[in-house]
Amino acid sequence: MKTKVQKVKHIEEGVKDLDKSQTLIFADFSGTSTKEINILRETLKAIGAKFQVFKKRLFRIAAEKNNVELPIEKFEGQLGVVFAPDDPEKVAGPIYKFSKTNENFKIIGGIDLKEKKFLEADFVKMLGSLPSREVLLSQLAAMFTIPIKKLLVILNEKGRK
């Protein structure tokens, strides 16, 4: 059990992390081992994000200090918060992949602090399942080149006859 001083320090750290973040993603990590959580932390650290474990009551206090409204009542289980300085699209992928490999880790939802809107768990999972921007751009480029390639093949065959 934490002392009052430790709780105040934890709240202050949460306030600082909220100031630096554009996106918050919430997860229930009940049953997930510490080793697996540390792997997630390393993955998130590589993209500039951070995973913190919070008591719901303490996180509500930190959020109120930053004027962020949270539907904490919806959250069940233990609360893990991912603080990300980027848009939800960038951080949702690694979290979604982690939740697919660890069945005890469940995405609860998220908040886009820039637009001040709550993101449902299904939306966060959908964002995480999308391919990266580079892959989508290459697929789009391929779709534009296919009709031209087919036209060139037809013209080449006509020229041979």
Side-chain angles (χ1 to χ4, degrees), residues 27-29 32 40 51 95 98-99 102-107:
D28 175 10
F29 62 96
T32 308
L40 174 65
F51 181 80
I95 295 169
F98 183 79
S99 71
N102 297 288
E103 56 204 41
N104 292 327
F105 189 86
K106 295 173 189 70
I107 298 172

Side-chain angles (χ1 to χ4, degrees), residues 58-84:
L58 297 180
F59 190 70
R60 183 184 312 125
I61 293 169
E64 286 172 357
K65 288 187 177 190
N66 275 25
N67 297 323
V68 176
E69 292 184 32
L70 295 174
I72 294 258
E73 303 78 35
K74 288 184 179 181
F75 303 161
E76 294 181 17
Q78 298 178 350
L79 180 65
V81 183
V82 176
F83 297 94

Side-chain angles (χ1 to χ4, degrees), residues 131-141:
S132 68
R133 182 177 188 270
E134 292 78 21
V135 171
L136 287 173
L137 288 175
S138 65
Q139 288 174 348
L140 181 64

Side-chain angles (χ1 to χ4, degrees), residues 7-60:
K7 289 178 183 179
V8 169
K9 185 177 178 184
H10 197 60
I11 290 170
E12 289 172 358
E13 188 177 325
V15 170
K16 287 178 188 175
D17 288 338
L18 278 167
D19 283 337
K20 297 176 190 174
S21 301
Q22 275 190 11
T23 303
L24 302 176
I25 295 183
F26 306 108
D28 175 10
F29 62 96
S30 302
T32 308
S33 72
T34 305
K35 183 179 178 183
E36 292 169 333
I37 293 294
N38 288 336
I39 292 170
L40 174 65
R41 284 186 170 134
E42 289 175 18
T43 305
L44 292 174
K45 188 176 183 180
I47 60 172
K50 181 180 180 181
F51 181 80
Q52 281 287 128
V53 174
F54 270 94
K55 288 191 175 264
K56 295 174 199 163
R57 186 176 46 83
L58 297 180
F59 190 70
R60 183 184 312 125

